[in-house]
Amino acid sequence: MELLSTPHSIEVNNITCDSFRISWAMENSDLERVTHYFIDLNKKENKNSNKFKHRDVPTKLVAKAVPLPMTVRGHWFLSPRTEYSVAVQTAVKQSDGEYLVSGWSETVEFCTGDYAKEHLAQLQEKAEQIAGRMLRFSVFYRNHHKEYFQHARTHCGNMLQPYLKDNSGSHGSPTSGMLHGVFFSCNTEFNTGQPPQDSPYGRWRFQIPAQRLFNPSTNLYFADFYCMYTAYHYAILVLAPKGSLGDRFCRDRLPLLDIACNKFLTCSVEDGELVFRHAQDLILEVIYTEPVDLSLGTLGEISGHQLMSLSTADAKKDPSCKTCNISVGR
């Protein structure tokens, strides 16, 4: 039987966090003959990869020939924001069950995308299931070292300036390495209704009345849900003044929450006053997308311990947790 030509001019497009579309060129004489495609997909190794990883794990997809381009989805658990290489081979299945195969095409590299809104909606639904009842609170607070606040006063015009979010949380979060903001906490101790005296981030605490950051002129977005191999879970929320740069970034990427009625963080009017509540059973990390004036709050030293084990700086999400993972990658 005549040999098959080698596929060439590979194109990969329509890339999402868990799928891609692929096409290639082959000789016209092969179009009627080819019965199957072999697609070899490999995650690009980086310098931190496990050097003892099994090299013989099969990564080849065997697919019946269909008109190109073809969409590859669900055949592998593709991970978001991950670099892959792909090559293709065409084949004719013969009467004896063996394949006549072409040579391998050139290798093309591509990177998968972030979670889309529908994936974040799945994470949101999972977070809602364990959020628990709502507790009242009155201040947002930010813990850090004394030098951080001194620098803000001396070099930043007494403002806490937004900075780029790190890679903590879900690997597919569209905010990681993309959204600028200032992190705040709002969780309170059940027995006192006040912020805890311990912190993983430093002994100095800036407190600001909740209405300064969260009010009817603010949009609230759900950004992530994760854990770090622990029993407790974190939810990341974004507060963005309506029409701000941060608001425009979030509008296209994150689920928008009703500020008066959601399972995580609410601002509602009761007896003519704004009342604030947070979910009891989640540790909330709130990103405020604009600079914050230190003169709008108070700064002081806390009396508790610095619990470094609770720090989420560049924290990696537990990929095996059934509570906070969805099936489109980690």
Side-chain angles (χ1 to χ4, degrees), residues 165-169 183 200-201 226 228 232 234 236 283 285 308-316:
K165 184 195 172 299
D166 65 13
N167 289 316
S168 60
F183 265 91
Y201 301 110
Y226 70 101
M228 305 180 297
Y232 39 85
Y234 298 81
I236 299 179
I283 299 175
E285 298 181 305
M308 292 306 295
S309 63
L310 293 180
S311 172
T312 61
D314 279 314
K316 295 297 178 273

Side-chain angles (χ1 to χ4, degrees), residues 10-313:
I10 309 296
E11 290 189 9
V12 176
N13 51 36
N14 284 44
I15 302 166
T16 71
C17 68
D18 66 340
S19 68
F20 61 93
R21 195 165 70 169
I22 186 168
S23 63
W24 57 86
M26 51 185 164
E27 297 299 325
N28 287 337
S29 59
D30 293 341
L31 291 175
E32 298 297 324
R33 301 168 58 208
V34 168
T35 60
H36 289 78
Y37 305 143
F38 297 162
I39 300 176
D40 187 21
L41 181 75
N42 289 284
K43 186 182 293 188
K44 283 188 67 178
E45 302 291 339
N46 59 45
K47 62 176 184 281
N48 298 319
S49 294
N50 182 357
K51 302 252 185 324
F52 301 100
K53 174 186 170 187
H54 292 296
R55 298 291 176 188
D56 56 351
V57 175
T59 57
K60 294 182 181 64
L61 166 70
V62 179
K64 285 189 175 180
V66 295
L68 297 176
M70 69 175 287
T71 297
V72 178
R73 174 187 287 114
H75 304 288
W76 295 278
F77 279 112
L78 288 171
S79 296
R81 281 197 182 191
T82 303
E83 292 184 322
Y84 290 92
S85 62
V86 64
V88 298
Q89 191 178 41
T90 58
V92 177
K93 191 171 186 179
Q94 303 177 105
S95 57
D96 60 1
E98 295 296 314
Y99 289 97
L100 173 72
V101 296
S102 71
W104 282 105
S105 72
E106 76 271 23
T107 298
V108 172
E109 297 179 351
F110 67 98
C111 186
T112 48
D114 296 333
Y115 283 153
K117 270 188 181 179
E118 60 262 32
H119 303 123
L120 291 170
Q122 292 175 42
L123 277 179
Q124 177 186 329
E125 190 175 325
K126 280 179 163 281
E128 288 171 346
Q129 291 171 5
I130 69 160
R133 68 191 184 107
M134 303 293 282
L135 302 179
R136 286 185 67 156
F137 75 101
S138 59
V139 297
F140 288 102
Y141 56 94
R142 176 167 174 77
N143 299 299
H144 220 298
H145 302 292
K146 189 175 184 179
E147 294 75 17
Y148 167 79
F149 295 109
Q150 287 176 335
H151 183 269
R153 280 179 166 162
T154 307
H155 300 286
C156 302
N158 209 42
M159 306 289 282
L160 299 181
Q161 293 293 339
Y163 59 94
L164 201 58
K165 184 195 172 299
D166 65 13
N167 289 316
S168 60
S170 299
H171 192 54
S173 171
T175 60
S176 294
M178 295 295 289
L179 179 66
H180 287 79
V182 184
F183 265 91
F184 283 91
S185 301
C186 63
N187 289 82
T188 56
E189 292 186 318
F190 175 72
N191 55 343
T192 66
Q194 299 299 314
Q197 282 299 307
D198 300 318
S199 165
Y201 301 110
R203 294 186 60 85
W204 285 80
R205 173 174 293 165
F206 172 67
Q207 291 192 169
I208 185 169
Q211 63 266 28
R212 292 288 190 179
L213 306 184
F214 193 21
N215 54 62
S217 296
T218 316
N219 276 332
L220 174 67
Y221 296 92
F222 176 86
D224 202 3
F225 177 47
Y226 70 101
C227 71
M228 305 180 297
Y229 303 89
T230 53
Y232 39 85
H233 280 79
Y234 298 81
I236 299 179
L237 307 174
V238 181
L239 285 174
K242 292 179 179 178
S244 65
L245 197 62
D247 187 39
R248 293 199 295 274
F249 174 90
C250 295
R251 191 181 304 152
D252 297 330
R253 297 171 176 86
L254 306 179
L256 178 67
L257 301 175
D258 182 341
I259 68 168
C261 182
N262 68 80
K263 299 283 190 181
F264 309 112
L265 188 71
T266 60
C267 168
S268 55
V269 179
E270 298 179 19
D271 297 325
E273 293 187 355
L274 291 179
V275 174
F276 303 91
R277 290 183 172 86
H278 70 82
Q280 175 184 339
D281 296 336
L282 291 169
I283 299 175
L284 298 181
E285 298 181 305
V286 181
I287 304 174
Y288 187 74
T289 62
E290 304 303 304
V292 177
D293 191 338
L294 284 169
S295 68
L296 297 178
T298 59
L299 183 63
E301 192 171 8
I302 58 175
S303 59
H305 301 287
Q306 187 167 341
L307 303 174
M308 292 306 295
S309 63
L310 293 180
S311 172
T312 61

